[in-house]
Amino acid sequence: MTENAINVKNTVEAIIFASGEPIERIRLIDSLGISPERLDSILSEIANEYAERSSAVELLCLGSEVQFVTRPEYAEAVRNVLDMKRNQPLSSAAFEVLAIVAYNQPVTKAFIEQVRGVDCSGVINTLCQRNLIEEAGRLDLPGRPLLYCTTTDFLKCFCMTTLAELPEIPDTKAAAQALEDIHNDDNVISGQMSIL
């Protein structure tokens, strides 16, 4: 590796480290004047170096952004030393809203409420405050309702690099049929028990 190549790699590493927040790949490409392929190669080298030495830090690629993060196995120790407060766990309503947004984004509050059947204002505000969802513009309809989408913090929180890693939604017809089959089997079993 040439001295210039080492310098570019070290510069990329320093920028990502110093930013502390996820940084857009395009900013690195533009500021360093390198190709997207070259940046991907550098990021891969950096990630491999950290992995090979079993570092407590890893390079996380979050779609179009990159960031250095602490490996999950060290989270508790870091939290204790830095006296970080644990976030309150999300409610089941928050998980439902988060799933609706993740699988259907961008979505309006009205869409979320139509799916859930209840007012979701408080839950949406909580998810925005926790930076798991964010405003993503306005729909071009009367009243110009806000659109919501997930954030890179959402990806980090669920250990994903892209939304493509979301699990498949189960086939609802197949699930309903399976539940009906179980119900029918239970009726047969209870009928047989009453005969005995």
Side-chain angles (χ1 to χ4, degrees), residues 20-175:
E21 295 292 322
I23 186 165
E24 290 280 341
R25 290 172 183 244
I26 194 69
R27 287 185 64 195
L28 293 168
I29 291 166
D30 290 345
S31 64
L32 298 172
I34 57 176
S35 69
E37 295 79 16
R38 178 69 183 125
L39 179 63
D40 288 343
S41 173
I42 290 170
L43 294 174
S44 180
E45 286 176 38
I46 293 169
N48 289 337
E49 286 175 9
Y50 278 79
E52 285 172 7
R53 67 179 192 227
S54 299
S55 174
V57 174
E58 67 181 327
L59 181 64
L60 190 60
C61 296
L62 306 161
S64 65
E65 299 177 329
V66 293
Q67 179 182 20
F68 279 119
V69 296
T70 306
R71 290 189 187 278
E73 57 265 32
Y74 301 104
E76 188 65 32
V78 170
R79 195 175 287 117
N80 289 339
V81 170
L82 299 180
D83 201 26
M84 298 168 110
K85 294 180 181 172
R86 285 184 182 263
N87 285 333
Q88 292 294 322
L90 292 175
S91 65
S92 58
F95 275 116
E96 289 173 13
V97 170
L98 205 49
I100 293 166
V101 174
Y103 282 99
N104 299 287
Q105 61 188 304
V107 295
T108 62
K109 177 177 167 276
F111 177 84
I112 297 167
E113 291 174 344
Q114 182 180 8
V115 172
R116 290 200 67 235
V118 295
D119 178 63
C120 297
S121 301
V123 177
I124 290 171
N125 287 338
T126 298
L127 292 172
C128 285
Q129 287 171 356
R130 291 191 179 193
N131 201 31
L132 294 172
I133 65 172
E134 65 186 357
E135 294 176 5
R138 293 188 174 271
L139 197 58
D140 195 18
L141 289 175
R144 310 243 324 129
L146 285 169
L147 291 167
Y148 295 95
C149 68
T150 56
T151 64
T152 54
D153 281 356
F154 166 82
L155 293 174
K156 283 193 292 189
C157 183
F158 291 95
C159 300
M160 295 185 289
T161 56
T162 67
L163 290 172
E165 295 176 31
L166 282 169
E168 290 289 322
I169 297 176
D171 181 8
T172 53
K173 289 180 184 175

